[in-house]
């Protein structure tokens, strides 16, 4: 069940949007900076419809701009399925709407923030702007949201229900969310909160312009882990860890929350190339989409930038394993491979 | 009346999140909806209904009235002046 990444786009706390370079320059947050906010493009350029744009909140603009950029760069290929993933959806609009309920004693509620607060707003807006009234689905599966969306996309392609699928992971940071999660004990032990919008246009058939291929993915819960999931995943792909050129890890920086991932990391053969990505994008439910974006770029550019903190060596980059973990609960594995030209 | 018109323009820009439009840019006599004015739509009409109720305590009970009341900033101001207790 493999698919080809025709094009991709990322809006993240790094200069990743509409650029030909891959993390050649990065924004390094200070030690006491606990929240990584996305570097936003000029939305007037990306989303030309002023009437739609003026009602869009931060996360909608991020998602829509990233999705449109992804499709625009695919030489006219339009998706026949649009699948979005989000952990918390349009949070700022939801907060605004709920606050308005409290402030106005459940009366006089503004329609705009209500309309825009639903989880599937981004998928809907993308469909409207691309004029693609096709299969449109949004996954809100906490730390497995992007994984569920990608699995759906791969099955759509595998079953022939779609030839080109636009799939993306989007989440935003809000001050309220940060404060609430901080009170729950998050962000105290090294992890930083983050946000972003990564979109991928996936195809069932390869072309000469594809970035990379996604060969397989698997999810598992850390609580049910017996420590053999990675080997079992690779075995199902006919591989062992020796066949992997680089392991890209989604370490949040909080050792307790990364326990399952770190435990497996210790078993890696000496010298195996490893790199990490979450110090660049921060921790959020769909951060794995940033990991997949990085892995695909590693295969495209055939180099591991210093920004990903590489350790070990690899002779060429042919296969990359992404291991992401969210709050030591949701663990996911993605296998990406270079496309032979 | 002029002070009310001025306040209404500020409130419209704010509540409708009008990008690149300042209160001074809004023509008091120009149509709010459709071509030739601000180009507002049905969701904006709902926002204006909320605005009237929240800021002026006015409830537009008859939807048929809306077309005339919401025609321009001046017609809105005239409605407020005539109906506010």
């Amino acid at each position: 069940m493999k698919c080809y990444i025709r094009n991709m786009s990322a809006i993240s706390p790094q200069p990743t949007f509409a650029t030909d370079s891959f993390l050649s320059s990065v924004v390094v947050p200070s030690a006491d900076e606990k929240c990584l906010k996305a570097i936003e493009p000029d939305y007037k350029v990306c989303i030309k419809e002023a009437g739609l744009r003026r009602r869009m909140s931060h996360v909608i603009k991020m998602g829509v701009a990233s999705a449109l950029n992804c499709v625009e760069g695919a030489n006219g290929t339009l998706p026949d399925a649009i699948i979005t993933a989000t952990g918390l959806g349009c949070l700022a609009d939801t907060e605004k709407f709920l606050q308005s309920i409290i402030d106005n004693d459940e009366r006089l509620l503004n329609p705009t923030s209500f309309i825009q607060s639903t989880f599937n707003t981004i998928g809907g807006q993308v469909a409207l702007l691309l004029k693609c009234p096709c299969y449109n689905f949004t996954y809100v599966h906490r730390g497995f949201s992007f994984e569920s969306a990608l699995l759906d996309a791969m099955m759509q392609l595998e079953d022939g229900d779609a030839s080109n699928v636009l799939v993306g992971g989007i989440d935003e940071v809000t001050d309220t969310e940060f404060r609430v999660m901080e009170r729950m004990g998050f962000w105290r032990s090294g992890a930083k909160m983050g946000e972003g919008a990564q979109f991928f246009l996936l195809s069932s058939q390869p072309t000469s312009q594809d970035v990379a291929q996604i060969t397989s993915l698997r999810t598992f819960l850390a609580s049910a882990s017996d420590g053999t999931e990675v080997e079992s995943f690779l075995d199902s792909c006919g591989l062992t860890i020796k066949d992997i050129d680089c392991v890209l890890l989604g370490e949040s920086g909080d050792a307790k929350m990364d326990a399952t991932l770190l435990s497996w990391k210790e078993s890696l053969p000496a010298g195996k190339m490893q790199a990490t990505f979450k110090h660049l994008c921060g921790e959020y439910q769909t951060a794995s989409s940033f990991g997949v974006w990085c892995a695909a770029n590693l295969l495209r550019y055939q180099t591991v930038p210093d920004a990903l903190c590489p350790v070990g060596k690899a002779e060429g980059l042919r296969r990359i394993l992404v291991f992401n973990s969210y709050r030591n609960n949701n663990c996911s594995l993605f296998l990406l491979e270079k496309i032979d030209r | 009346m002029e002070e009310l018109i001025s306040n209404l323009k500020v409130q419209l820009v704010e509540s409708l999140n009008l990008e690149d439009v300042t209160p001074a840019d809004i023509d008091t006599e120009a149509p709010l909806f459709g071509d030739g004015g601000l180009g507002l739509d049905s969701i904006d009409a709902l926002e204006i209904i909320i605005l009237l109720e929240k800021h002026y305590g006015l409830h537009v009970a008859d939807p048929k009235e809306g077309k005339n009341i919401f025609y321009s900033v001046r017609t809105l101001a005239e409605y407020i002046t005539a109906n506010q207790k």
Side-chain angles (χ1 to χ4, degrees):
Chain A
M1 191 170 66
K2 64 185 177 187
C3 61
Y4 302 89
I5 303 175
R6 181 71 51 87
N7 197 30
M8 55 188 190
S9 178
I11 293 178
S12 76
Q14 304 300 329
T16 52
F17 186 72
T19 173
D20 286 332
S21 69
F22 172 44
L23 300 174
S24 54
S25 66
V26 292
V27 178
V28 182
S30 63
D32 57 351
E33 208 174 337
K34 293 183 178 177
C35 197
L36 307 184
K37 298 214 171 172
I39 299 171
E40 297 183 274
D42 182 354
Y43 289 123
K44 285 178 190 167
V45 175
C46 312
I47 309 166
K48 294 184 176 67
E49 288 76 359
L52 285 175
R53 190 182 60 233
R54 73 181 161 90
R55 289 205 186 97
M56 292 180 180
S57 65
H58 165 67
V59 72
I60 303 173
K61 284 181 189 165
M62 276 201 304
V64 169
S66 182
L68 294 182
N69 182 255
C70 181
V71 173
E72 280 164 13
N75 297 327
T77 304
L78 282 172
D80 36 25
I82 296 170
I83 307 173
T84 54
T86 179
L88 294 169
C90 304
L91 198 57
D93 273 326
T94 305
E95 288 173 7
K96 195 173 165 186
F97 180 66
L98 292 175
Q99 191 61 49
S100 158
I101 289 176
I102 296 166
D103 292 345
N104 298 301
D105 197 22
E106 300 187 19
R107 293 179 65 250
L108 305 174
L109 305 176
N110 295 78
T112 303
S113 54
F114 170 66
I115 293 165
Q116 305 286 58
S117 67
T118 54
F119 291 104
N120 57 2
T121 302
I122 295 166
Q125 296 280 352
V126 170
L128 276 174
L129 288 162
L130 290 177
K131 297 182 175 60
C132 287
C134 51
Y135 179 90
N136 197 307
F137 223 88
T138 297
Y139 286 87
V140 189
H141 290 185
R142 300 188 182 178
F144 281 151
S145 300
F146 178 67
E147 289 75 1
S148 302
L150 182 57
L151 182 63
D152 187 2
M154 291 172 82
M155 289 195 295
Q156 292 280 330
L157 295 169
E158 174 80 5
D159 291 346
D161 293 332
S163 300
N164 300 289
V165 180
L166 181 66
V167 60
I170 320 106
D171 269 300
E172 71 175 327
V173 162
T174 70
D175 292 342
T176 307
E177 178 197 12
F178 179 80
R179 283 198 306 275
V180 169
M181 292 181 84
E182 192 173 41
R183 271 165 42 197
M184 290 164 68
F186 289 34
W187 329 125
R188 286 182 191 160
S189 308
K192 295 177 190 293
M193 192 177 188
E195 64 178 5
Q198 285 69 233
F199 270 84
F200 305 84
L201 187 62
L202 306 177
S203 294
S204 53
Q205 298 301 319
T207 70
S208 58
Q209 286 130 29
D210 294 338
V211 179
Q213 69 182 45
I214 301 176
T215 308
S216 191
L217 92 128
R218 182 174 291 181
T219 58
F220 63 95
L221 290 171
S223 57
S225 169
D226 61 5
T228 62
E229 287 80 9
V230 180
E231 282 64 33
S232 159
F233 171 66
L234 292 175
D235 187 53
S236 72
C237 301
L239 304 169
T240 69
I241 194 66
K242 286 181 187 170
D243 300 308
I244 301 299
D245 299 306
C246 178
V247 177
L248 188 58
L249 301 162
E251 288 177 39
S252 70
D254 181 336
K256 196 176 165 189
M257 291 299 121
D258 297 335
T260 303
L261 186 152
L262 294 174
S263 168
W264 176 77
K265 185 180 155 182
E266 282 177 15
S267 70
L268 278 173
K272 174 64 66 183
M273 176 166 254
Q274 307 163 30
T276 56
F277 65 89
K278 266 189 193 161
H279 59 290
L280 299 175
C281 68
E283 178 68 303
Y284 55 100
Q285 285 91 339
T286 51
S288 56
S289 60
F290 185 77
V292 171
W293 180 86
C294 286
N297 269 322
L298 288 173
L299 294 165
R300 169 157 56 180
Y301 290 100
Q302 287 293 299
T303 181
V304 186
D306 291 341
L308 292 174
C309 306
V311 176
K313 282 190 176 177
E315 290 179 14
L317 295 169
R318 185 167 176 75
R319 291 191 188 92
I320 295 183
L321 174 68
V322 181
F323 186 159
N324 185 61
S325 152
Y326 180 73
R327 306 298 299 163
N328 202 36
N329 183 35
N330 306 98
C331 298
S332 50
L333 304 164
F334 304 83
L335 181 65
L336 282 87
E337 294 187 50
K338 181 174 179 263
I339 295 171
D340 292 319
R341 302 198 193 277
Chain B
M1 177 67 92
E2 289 313 307
E3 189 182 346
L4 175 60
I5 286 172
S6 178
N7 288 341
L8 266 175
K9 289 179 180 177
V10 172
Q11 287 158 351
L12 285 172
V13 169
E14 201 173 288
S15 64
L16 305 182
N17 197 22
L18 298 174
E19 283 187 340
D20 299 332
V21 176
T22 67
D25 296 333
I26 301 175
D27 182 342
T28 308
E29 316 296 337
L32 292 172
F33 294 83
D35 297 332
L38 287 178
L40 304 184
D41 59 22
S42 57
I43 298 173
D44 296 312
L46 291 170
E47 291 284 1
I48 296 173
I49 288 171
I50 299 289
L51 187 156
L52 286 178
E53 200 160 352
K54 199 180 280 185
H55 293 280
Y56 302 98
L58 293 174
H59 179 62
V60 182
D62 184 1
K64 289 176 192 166
E65 285 184 305
K67 200 172 179 182
N68 296 327
I69 299 167
F70 295 167
Y71 179 77
S72 67
V73 173
R74 182 167 300 283
T75 58
L76 269 174
E78 285 170 353
Y79 175 76
I80 293 166
T81 306
N83 292 278
Q84 208 173 19
K85 290 169 188 169

